Amino acid sequence: MNKSLRVICVFLSFWAVVTAPAAQAQTQPTGWPTRLIKATIPFGAGSAADVVPRLVFERLAVELGQSIVIENRAGGGGMVGSALVAKSDPDGYSLLAQSSALTIAPAIFPSATFDPTRDLASVFMIGSSANVMIVPKERPWKTIQDFIADAKAKPGSISFGSVGIGSAVHISSEKFRFAAGIEATHVPYRAGPEVIADILGGRIDLYFCPLATALPLIREGQVRALVVSTAKRVAELPDVPTPVEIGLKDADSNIWFGVLAPAKTPREIVEKLYAASEKVLADPAMQASLKKLGLEPMPMKPAEMDDLLKREMAANLELIKAAGIKP
């Protein structure tokens, strides 16, 4: 080998050594996380979709050894905050805490700037919960049958609240209304506490409220619970019937809470987050806390959660078309 060729070979060997770590750093999240993680909740503070993930993020931060700062960005049935995360850098430092609303809003807001199944990657599922129909205690309805009979006798006289068009509680209300064959006026709010205030004040007639939020109000006698949204009764409200029990077909629904990230987030980071979430959610103290909020475990791997989103989006599109729900 002549001198010139030997020099070139030595240079190329040196270049391979010094550039290999940099190339590896671009593809492998070695040491992640090394800085603060931002989690977006696309609903108002104080709602179940806010309270539940906050509880988990607090423990997840300890497990990861890095702080997680939470920001509420409400609007558009959860699509405003979700879009921000979908368009964020896929570096593992932007997370989204969402609910079943993620599979509903795209059918209502077709002009959305992102596609949940294309632009977001599932990370882990926190759990699922029933919604429960609550009404002001001053209303005359003692049972769900009383309510339905009165609503049919006075078409259009009923108003129901939600945390926004396309939210999971909105769809629970619409599924029930559609199955029961009653007319009702939808009154959307920006956040759960606003709906609760108007229920307590008697300014609206009903709210399909997440169980976590409704339980204290029911136990304190501030509101009356008429029906739960799930196919089976919930342990916390054993005397409250389900839609199936009163003869309503396809009126049942539940709400799930989960965490996602931008679609191109490295799989190593997604898997590390998932593994950390498994430890957090398996902790007996965490399980007890979530149980108090009315949540049931919903173990699901990221790929399984991706499949769930696709199925729910297809089913919700059919419902929204049939019910004529528009923004």
Side-chain angles (χ1 to χ4, degrees):
M1 182 182 294
N2 61 43
K3 184 177 180 181
S4 297
L5 182 59
R6 187 162 50 247
V7 169
I8 292 173
C9 289
V10 170
F11 174 78
L12 291 175
S13 298
F14 173 76
W15 183 252
V17 171
V18 298
T19 58
Q24 185 179 33
Q26 291 176 3
T27 59
Q28 296 185 13
T30 305
W32 179 93
T34 59
R35 57 184 172 86
L36 180 146
I37 298 169
K38 180 181 177 181
T40 298
I41 297 178
F43 300 99
S47 62
D50 172 69
V51 173
V52 170
R54 280 181 182 273
L55 179 67
V56 175
F57 281 138
E58 181 180 353
R59 294 292 305 278
L60 187 64
V62 175
E63 183 66 30
L64 293 172
Q66 191 58 255
S67 297
I68 299 178
V69 62
I70 299 171
E71 181 181 14
N72 293 88
R73 294 297 295 266
M79 295 294 274
V80 172
S82 299
L84 289 175
V85 177
K87 297 175 182 179
S88 297
D89 291 336
D91 54 10
Y93 294 96
S94 295
L95 300 178
L96 172 68
Q98 250 289 6
S99 71
S100 307
L102 185 62
T103 66
I104 299 167
I108 299 176
F109 302 99
S111 60
T113 58
F114 79 104
D115 181 339
T117 62
R118 184 190 64 225
D119 301 321
L120 290 170
S122 299
V123 180
F124 66 89
M125 192 68 79
I126 297 173
S128 66
S129 173
N131 288 323
V132 54
M133 182 200 286
I134 57 174
V135 300
K137 62 181 181 180
E138 294 81 9
R139 294 297 193 272
W141 315 305
K142 302 299 182 183
T143 68
I144 188 60
Q145 290 86 350
D146 292 341
F147 167 80
I148 293 175
D150 198 28
K152 287 185 175 181
K154 304 171 185 175
S157 64
I158 300 298
S159 61
F160 68 93
S162 81
V163 291
I165 296 172
S167 63
V169 295
H170 177 206
I171 294 304
S172 285
S173 305
E174 294 287 5
K175 288 186 77 172
F176 183 86
R177 179 190 70 78
F178 199 63
I182 62 176
E183 296 179 19
T185 301
H186 178 212
V187 184
Y189 295 77
R190 287 187 62 84
E194 297 175 9
V195 196
I196 294 298
D198 276 4
I199 279 285
L200 295 178
R203 289 178 286 276
I204 56 175
D205 295 302
L206 69 93
Y207 176 35
F208 263 90
C209 184
L211 189 62
T213 306
L215 282 175
L217 302 173
I218 297 168
R219 289 167 177 164
E220 294 168 8
Q222 297 187 64
V223 297
R224 189 177 299 121
L226 297 185
V227 68
V228 293
S229 67
T230 44
K232 295 181 179 180
R233 292 197 183 198
V234 299
E236 293 81 3
L237 298 172
D239 298 326
V240 181
T242 70
V244 176
E245 292 173 336
I246 61 172
L248 297 184
K249 184 181 179 181
D250 298 327
D252 57 288
S253 62
N254 69 350
I255 180 172
W256 54 255
F257 302 95
V259 174
L260 304 97
K264 294 183 180 180
T265 301
R267 294 310 298 175
E268 296 96 330
I269 292 180
V270 171
E271 292 300 330
K272 188 170 182 178
L273 276 165
Y274 174 72
S277 75
E278 280 195 304
K279 293 181 180 179
V280 169
L281 295 173
D283 181 74
M286 175 58 70
Q287 291 180 352
S289 296
L290 292 175
K291 187 68 176 177
K292 288 180 180 178
L293 294 175
L295 260 73
E296 294 292 333
M298 196 174 179
M300 193 172 288
K301 293 181 178 179
E304 295 172 327
M305 189 173 164
D306 282 336
D307 290 339
L308 173 69
L309 263 61
K310 292 175 183 177
R311 293 196 305 272
E312 284 197 359
M313 285 182 67
N316 286 327
L317 179 59
E318 291 185 12
L319 169 68
I320 288 162
K321 286 182 177 179
I325 302 172
K326 296 180 180 180

mmCIF file of all heavy atoms in Angstrom, residues 136-159:
data_model
loop_
_atom_site.group_PDB
_atom_site.id
_atom_site.type_symbol
_atom_site.label_atom_id
_atom_site.label_comp_id
_atom_site.label_asym_id
_atom_site.label_seq_id
_atom_site.Cartn_x
_atom_site.Cartn_y
_atom_site.Cartn_z
ATOM 1 N N PRO A 136 -80.162 17.785 38.848
ATOM 2 C CA PRO A 136 -80.317 18.589 40.060
ATOM 3 C C PRO A 136 -81.276 17.906 41.039
ATOM 4 O O PRO A 136 -82.287 17.311 40.632
ATOM 5 C CB PRO A 136 -80.914 19.905 39.535
ATOM 6 C CG PRO A 136 -80.470 19.972 38.108
ATOM 7 C CD PRO A 136 -80.491 18.562 37.619
ATOM 8 N N LYS A 137 -80.964 17.977 42.307
ATOM 9 C CA LYS A 137 -81.795 17.290 43.297
ATOM 10 C C LYS A 137 -83.208 17.860 43.370
ATOM 11 O O LYS A 137 -84.128 17.185 43.840
ATOM 12 C CB LYS A 137 -81.130 17.359 44.678
ATOM 13 C CG LYS A 137 -80.953 18.770 45.223
ATOM 14 C CD LYS A 137 -80.257 18.734 46.575
ATOM 15 C CE LYS A 137 -80.084 20.150 47.145
ATOM 16 N NZ LYS A 137 -79.406 20.127 48.476
ATOM 17 N N GLU A 138 -83.388 19.087 42.879
ATOM 18 C CA GLU A 138 -84.717 19.703 42.908
ATOM 19 C C GLU A 138 -85.631 19.179 41.803
ATOM 20 O O GLU A 138 -86.849 19.369 41.859
ATOM 21 C CB GLU A 138 -84.604 21.219 42.770
ATOM 22 C CG GLU A 138 -83.922 21.926 43.933
ATOM 23 C CD GLU A 138 -82.405 21.863 43.849
ATOM 24 O OE1 GLU A 138 -81.892 21.403 42.785
ATOM 25 O OE2 GLU A 138 -81.739 22.241 44.829
ATOM 26 N N ARG A 139 -85.063 18.510 40.794
ATOM 27 C CA ARG A 139 -85.892 17.994 39.716
ATOM 28 C C ARG A 139 -86.773 16.857 40.249
ATOM 29 O O ARG A 139 -86.381 16.136 41.171
ATOM 30 C CB ARG A 139 -85.040 17.492 38.555
ATOM 31 C CG ARG A 139 -84.256 18.568 37.821
ATOM 32 C CD ARG A 139 -85.153 19.601 37.140
ATOM 33 N NE ARG A 139 -84.419 20.429 36.204
ATOM 34 C CZ ARG A 139 -83.783 21.567 36.512
ATOM 35 N NH1 ARG A 139 -83.812 22.022 37.756
ATOM 36 N NH2 ARG A 139 -83.143 22.263 35.581
ATOM 37 N N PRO A 140 -87.947 16.634 39.649
ATOM 38 C CA PRO A 140 -88.895 15.650 40.184
ATOM 39 C C PRO A 140 -88.545 14.198 39.882
ATOM 40 O O PRO A 140 -89.157 13.289 40.441
ATOM 41 C CB PRO A 140 -90.210 16.040 39.491
ATOM 42 C CG PRO A 140 -89.773 16.629 38.185
ATOM 43 C CD PRO A 140 -88.512 17.374 38.510
ATOM 44 N N TRP A 141 -87.566 13.940 39.020
ATOM 45 C CA TRP A 141 -87.306 12.580 38.564
ATOM 46 C C TRP A 141 -86.591 11.758 39.632
ATOM 47 O O TRP A 141 -85.468 12.058 40.033
ATOM 48 C CB TRP A 141 -86.446 12.607 37.300
ATOM 49 C CG TRP A 141 -86.920 13.623 36.297
ATOM 50 C CD1 TRP A 141 -88.186 13.730 35.762
ATOM 51 C CD2 TRP A 141 -86.151 14.698 35.734
ATOM 52 N NE1 TRP A 141 -88.253 14.792 34.888
ATOM 53 C CE2 TRP A 141 -87.012 15.414 34.845
ATOM 54 C CE3 TRP A 141 -84.826 15.128 35.871
ATOM 55 C CZ2 TRP A 141 -86.587 16.512 34.125
ATOM 56 C CZ3 TRP A 141 -84.402 16.220 35.151
ATOM 57 C CH2 TRP A 141 -85.269 16.904 34.289
ATOM 58 N N LYS A 142 -87.238 10.682 40.051
ATOM 59 C CA LYS A 142 -86.641 9.788 41.045
ATOM 60 C C LYS A 142 -85.932 8.612 40.385
ATOM 61 O O LYS A 142 -85.014 8.029 40.965
ATOM 62 C CB LYS A 142 -87.725 9.252 41.994
ATOM 63 C CG LYS A 142 -88.505 10.334 42.725
ATOM 64 C CD LYS A 142 -87.602 11.186 43.610
ATOM 65 C CE LYS A 142 -88.415 12.235 44.368
ATOM 66 N NZ LYS A 142 -87.550 13.136 45.183
ATOM 67 N N THR A 143 -86.378 8.253 39.193
ATOM 68 C CA THR A 143 -85.788 7.138 38.452
ATOM 69 C C THR A 143 -85.537 7.562 37.017
ATOM 70 O O THR A 143 -86.071 8.576 36.543
ATOM 71 C CB THR A 143 -86.716 5.909 38.440
ATOM 72 O OG1 THR A 143 -87.890 6.215 37.660
ATOM 73 C CG2 THR A 143 -87.126 5.511 39.860
ATOM 74 N N ILE A 144 -84.753 6.755 36.306
ATOM 75 C CA ILE A 144 -84.480 7.058 34.910
ATOM 76 C C ILE A 144 -85.747 6.909 34.067
ATOM 77 O O ILE A 144 -85.950 7.630 33.080
ATOM 78 C CB ILE A 144 -83.339 6.155 34.358
ATOM 79 C CG1 ILE A 144 -82.929 6.603 32.949
ATOM 80 C CG2 ILE A 144 -83.738 4.693 34.390
ATOM 81 C CD1 ILE A 144 -82.423 8.016 32.859
ATOM 82 N N GLN A 145 -86.633 6.006 34.485
ATOM 83 C CA GLN A 145 -87.905 5.848 33.782
ATOM 84 C C GLN A 145 -88.753 7.115 33.907
ATOM 85 O O GLN A 145 -89.420 7.531 32.943
ATOM 86 C CB GLN A 145 -88.664 4.632 34.317
ATOM 87 C CG GLN A 145 -88.035 3.288 33.952
ATOM 88 C CD GLN A 145 -86.960 2.837 34.932
ATOM 89 O OE1 GLN A 145 -86.527 3.601 35.808
ATOM 90 N NE2 GLN A 145 -86.556 1.581 34.814
ATOM 91 N N ASP A 146 -88.732 7.742 35.107
ATOM 92 C CA ASP A 146 -89.449 9.004 35.306
ATOM 93 C C ASP A 146 -88.920 10.072 34.347
ATOM 94 O O ASP A 146 -89.687 10.815 33.737
ATOM 95 C CB ASP A 146 -89.273 9.507 36.748
ATOM 96 C CG ASP A 146 -89.963 8.631 37.775
ATOM 97 O OD1 ASP A 146 -90.864 7.857 37.387
ATOM 98 O OD2 ASP A 146 -89.587 8.729 38.960
ATOM 99 N N PHE A 147 -87.606 10.118 34.254
ATOM 100 C CA PHE A 147 -86.981 11.128 33.394
ATOM 101 C C PHE A 147 -87.374 10.943 31.935
ATOM 102 O O PHE A 147 -87.758 11.900 31.249
ATOM 103 C CB PHE A 147 -85.456 11.073 33.543
ATOM 104 C CG PHE A 147 -84.726 11.855 32.493
ATOM 105 C CD1 PHE A 147 -84.602 13.232 32.590
ATOM 106 C CD2 PHE A 147 -84.196 11.213 31.378
ATOM 107 C CE1 PHE A 147 -83.959 13.966 31.602
ATOM 108 C CE2 PHE A 147 -83.546 11.937 30.391
ATOM 109 C CZ PHE A 147 -83.432 13.318 30.508
ATOM 110 N N ILE A 148 -87.254 9.712 31.429
ATOM 111 C CA ILE A 148 -87.556 9.451 30.024
ATOM 112 C C ILE A 148 -89.017 9.771 29.713
ATOM 113 O O ILE A 148 -89.331 10.389 28.680
ATOM 114 C CB ILE A 148 -87.227 7.987 29.663
ATOM 115 C CG1 ILE A 148 -85.705 7.762 29.736
ATOM 116 C CG2 ILE A 148 -87.742 7.644 28.270
ATOM 117 C CD1 ILE A 148 -85.280 6.320 29.522
ATOM 118 N N ALA A 149 -89.914 9.378 30.610
ATOM 119 C CA ALA A 149 -91.344 9.643 30.399
ATOM 120 C C ALA A 149 -91.614 11.139 30.336
ATOM 121 O O ALA A 149 -92.373 11.619 29.466
ATOM 122 C CB ALA A 149 -92.166 8.997 31.513
ATOM 123 N N ASP A 150 -90.993 11.896 31.218
ATOM 124 C CA ASP A 150 -91.202 13.345 31.250
ATOM 125 C C ASP A 150 -90.607 14.003 30.004
ATOM 126 O O ASP A 150 -91.203 14.908 29.416
ATOM 127 C CB ASP A 150 -90.572 13.917 32.517
ATOM 128 C CG ASP A 150 -91.095 15.312 32.852
ATOM 129 O OD1 ASP A 150 -92.249 15.609 32.487
ATOM 130 O OD2 ASP A 150 -90.346 16.098 33.457
ATOM 131 N N ALA A 151 -89.409 13.533 29.604
ATOM 132 C CA ALA A 151 -88.747 14.106 28.428
ATOM 133 C C ALA A 151 -89.565 13.855 27.170
ATOM 134 O O ALA A 151 -89.654 14.717 26.287
ATOM 135 C CB ALA A 151 -87.349 13.517 28.285
ATOM 136 N N LYS A 152 -90.189 12.701 27.054
ATOM 137 C CA LYS A 152 -91.000 12.392 25.882
ATOM 138 C C LYS A 152 -92.322 13.168 25.897
ATOM 139 O O LYS A 152 -92.848 13.517 24.832
ATOM 140 C CB LYS A 152 -91.268 10.887 25.822
ATOM 141 C CG LYS A 152 -90.049 10.066 25.406
ATOM 142 C CD LYS A 152 -90.402 8.599 25.243
ATOM 143 C CE LYS A 152 -89.209 7.819 24.705
ATOM 144 N NZ LYS A 152 -89.528 6.375 24.521
ATOM 145 N N ALA A 153 -92.815 13.426 27.102
ATOM 146 C CA ALA A 153 -94.077 14.169 27.213
ATOM 147 C C ALA A 153 -93.895 15.644 26.886
ATOM 148 O O ALA A 153 -94.844 16.326 26.488
ATOM 149 C CB ALA A 153 -94.649 14.011 28.618
ATOM 150 N N LYS A 154 -92.642 16.135 27.048
ATOM 151 C CA LYS A 154 -92.352 17.544 26.794
ATOM 152 C C LYS A 154 -91.152 17.650 25.846
ATOM 153 O O LYS A 154 -90.040 18.001 26.256
ATOM 154 C CB LYS A 154 -92.038 18.268 28.100
ATOM 155 C CG LYS A 154 -93.134 18.144 29.161
ATOM 156 C CD LYS A 154 -92.660 18.702 30.493
ATOM 157 C CE LYS A 154 -93.700 18.485 31.589
ATOM 158 N NZ LYS A 154 -93.197 18.931 32.916
ATOM 159 N N PRO A 155 -91.338 17.323 24.584
ATOM 160 C CA PRO A 155 -90.219 17.317 23.621
ATOM 161 C C PRO A 155 -89.460 18.650 23.580
ATOM 162 O O PRO A 155 -90.073 19.715 23.535
ATOM 163 C CB PRO A 155 -90.909 17.051 22.275
ATOM 164 C CG PRO A 155 -92.191 16.377 22.644
ATOM 165 C CD PRO A 155 -92.614 16.988 23.938
ATOM 166 N N GLY A 156 -88.143 18.561 23.633
ATOM 167 C CA GLY A 156 -87.304 19.757 23.546
ATOM 168 C C GLY A 156 -87.169 20.544 24.824
ATOM 169 O O GLY A 156 -86.510 21.590 24.841
ATOM 170 N N SER A 157 -87.741 20.047 25.912
ATOM 171 C CA SER A 157 -87.684 20.807 27.170
ATOM 172 C C SER A 157 -86.435 20.512 27.993
ATOM 173 O O SER A 157 -86.134 21.209 28.956
ATOM 174 C CB SER A 157 -88.922 20.499 28.027
ATOM 175 O OG SER A 157 -88.937 19.125 28.423
ATOM 176 N N ILE A 158 -85.709 19.471 27.620
ATOM 177 C CA ILE A 158 -84.550 19.023 28.396
ATOM 178 C C ILE A 158 -83.261 19.627 27.849
ATOM 179 O O ILE A 158 -83.045 19.698 26.639
ATOM 180 C CB ILE A 158 -84.447 17.481 28.374
ATOM 181 C CG1 ILE A 158 -85.703 16.848 28.974
ATOM 182 C CG2 ILE A 158 -83.196 17.011 29.102
ATOM 183 C CD1 ILE A 158 -85.936 17.193 30.429
ATOM 184 N N SER A 159 -82.378 20.036 28.751
ATOM 185 C CA SER A 159 -81.045 20.524 28.370
ATOM 186 C C SER A 159 -79.988 19.675 29.052
ATOM 187 O O SER A 159 -80.167 19.246 30.192
ATOM 188 C CB SER A 159 -80.871 21.996 28.768
ATOM 189 O OG SER A 159 -80.994 22.153 30.170
#
